[in-house]
Amino acid sequence: MDNGDPLEPETKEESDTVSARQSSDETLYCEAEAPMAVEKEKPARESSETDLEIEDTEKFFTTRQRELYLEACRLVGVVPVSYFIRNMEESYVNLNHHGLGPRGTKAIAIALVSNTTVLTLELADNCITEEGILSLVEMLQENYYLQEMNISDNDLGLEGARILSEFLQNNTSSLFTLQLSGNNFKEEAAELFCQALSTNYRIKSLDLSHNQFSDKAGEYLGQMLALNVGLQSLDLSWNHLYIQGVVALCSGLRANVSLKKLDLSMNSFGNEGAAALGEVLRLNNSLAYLDLSSNNINNEGLSKISKGLELNESLKVLKLYLNPLSMDGAVLLILSIKRNPKSKMEDIDISNVLVSEQFVKILDGVCAVHPQLDVMYKAVQGLSNKKNLFTWTSPVKLIQSYADQHKISVLDFFRSLNPSGETTMPVGEFRKAMIQQNKVPINRYQVRELIKKLGEKTDMVDFRTHSSSPRLQNPAGLQAGP
């Protein structure tokens, strides 16, 4: 080899080492400027064109990760990131806001080619540009361990979208979560992504929020959703889909069988878009989470959504926060749940809507049919005070008192609620079990507080925090589960 190995051991004479490094550095820069780093006709692992490939495989895998990264930094001319050096053997690496630039990103990518420990990589807000994206794509063609990557807020634009879409079309990596928020993607970028995802189903979670997708992008996304059977979570919040974009999106969503989570908040599609989504809810039985916050939906649009909910058998979470709704619309919404005996709804967020005692009585009747349901609303002042009277007793104290009287641990009490006897339980099932049990008198407001303490953010409650003691260490409140 004329130029020498980029990772030449330092046991050779200093003059030879310096010469090898200078030659390798020139090679890295030269190849990084090439428009296509990998020949399409060759499988990714057989290509010899990538500047991330190390020719001597044995040396590549025996060189320690730290030394490899430091060598890469010397080759591309950047200062090593101390955080990465300390955490490169961890499963989670957060390099957001580190000012890496394209060369710093290349050094990280070189070090990760053979890395087998990093599963999640955060690279948001690093000005990585198209050159940095090329380095990451080349790394992913060799790394079969990285599963989640965040490259949001890097202003990648159309060229970055083109590089990523070409990678996605031939994706053989283990990557299944990709965050691309805030990258100035427009209609053309949406078309590229949708072409790639219409045939490649490896990506399970995709974040395209805070971009500039409009009507035409909604059409492309709808076409993709009609074909894709792998994507499970899609975030399109803070775009400009408006009415036509969401209506087009819904055309494909009606036929989709895999998507479980969809965020359409902050898209200003109003009642017409809500009507299209109501039709989706009537036909689609895969969506479990739908965020429609701040979309200028009033009672008219909510009535269309409610019609769909009367037949829906999959949706568990519906967020309608910051829409101009009144109590009349809220009543229509919860009555649609009551009329659907197969509804799985667990959480509804209308927390900007003022309600009355009449609404609460109606909700009590709905919860009697669907005890797993919790509705977040903004109560009128008098009702809020009354609710506080009901909930002043800590639910933890009530449970601890019952456990003491029956000489059992609090953990045993919680596990008795779970038919499987496990120490973890889905939030909806736990709420239903707590409301239906007759051992400890507790209302749904107290159950809500209890869920917050036991791990609401993970969609699971976890009792294991207290498994080491038969009594709670802090009777005033529970620690959040891991």
Side-chain angles (χ1 to χ4, degrees), residues 259-271:
L259 196 68
K260 299 183 183 301
K261 183 175 182 178
L262 178 62
D263 191 341
L264 291 173
S265 57
M266 307 297 293
N267 273 284
S268 301
F269 49 76
N271 293 333

Side-chain angles (χ1 to χ4, degrees), residues 74 168 192 232:
R74 285 192 290 268
L168 291 173
L192 292 171
Q232 296 178 5

Side-chain angles (χ1 to χ4, degrees), residues 336-465:
S336 71
I337 305 300
K338 184 177 183 179
R339 284 191 286 266
N340 182 356
K342 295 183 179 181
S343 174
K344 290 184 171 62
M345 189 68 73
E346 296 177 1
D347 290 282
I348 296 177
D349 184 355
I350 49 172
S351 50
N352 64 303
V353 179
L354 291 171
V355 301
S356 66
E357 285 195 56
Q358 179 186 3
F359 174 86
V360 175
K361 290 178 180 178
I362 296 172
L363 181 58
D364 287 338
V366 176
C367 290
V369 178
H370 296 285
Q372 81 280 2
L373 178 65
D374 187 32
V375 179
M376 296 291 293
Y377 53 81
K378 183 178 180 180
V380 296
Q381 184 62 38
L383 184 60
S384 179
N385 290 335
K386 184 176 180 181
K387 185 177 74 172
N388 288 335
L389 291 176
F390 277 121
T391 60
W392 69 269
T393 303
S394 166
V396 177
K397 288 184 178 180
L398 294 174
I399 294 170
Q400 182 68 70
S401 176
Y402 174 86
D404 290 344
Q405 291 175 12
H406 292 80
K407 294 182 172 57
I408 62 172
S409 68
V410 172
L411 178 63
D412 288 336
F413 169 79
F414 284 136
R415 291 180 67 175
S416 70
L417 302 175
N418 194 342
S420 67
E422 299 290 333
T423 56
T424 59
M425 198 172 180
V427 167
E429 293 181 16
F430 177 75
R431 182 183 294 119
K432 181 177 180 179
M434 283 299 302
I435 293 295
Q436 291 182 332
Q437 58 84 32
N438 55 12
K439 300 173 182 177
V440 178
I442 192 170
N443 61 43
R444 66 173 180 268
Y445 306 113
Q446 292 167 310
V447 173
R448 180 188 298 168
E449 185 64 25
L450 194 58
I451 290 172
K452 288 180 181 179
K453 303 295 184 181
L454 287 171
E456 180 183 36
K457 291 182 179 180
T458 63
D459 297 323
M460 298 284 289
V461 290
D462 195 326
F463 320 132
R464 289 174 295 183
T465 304

Side-chain angles (χ1 to χ4, degrees), residues 470-481:
R471 296 178 60 87
L472 289 175
Q473 298 299 318
N474 178 14
L478 293 171
Q479 298 295 320

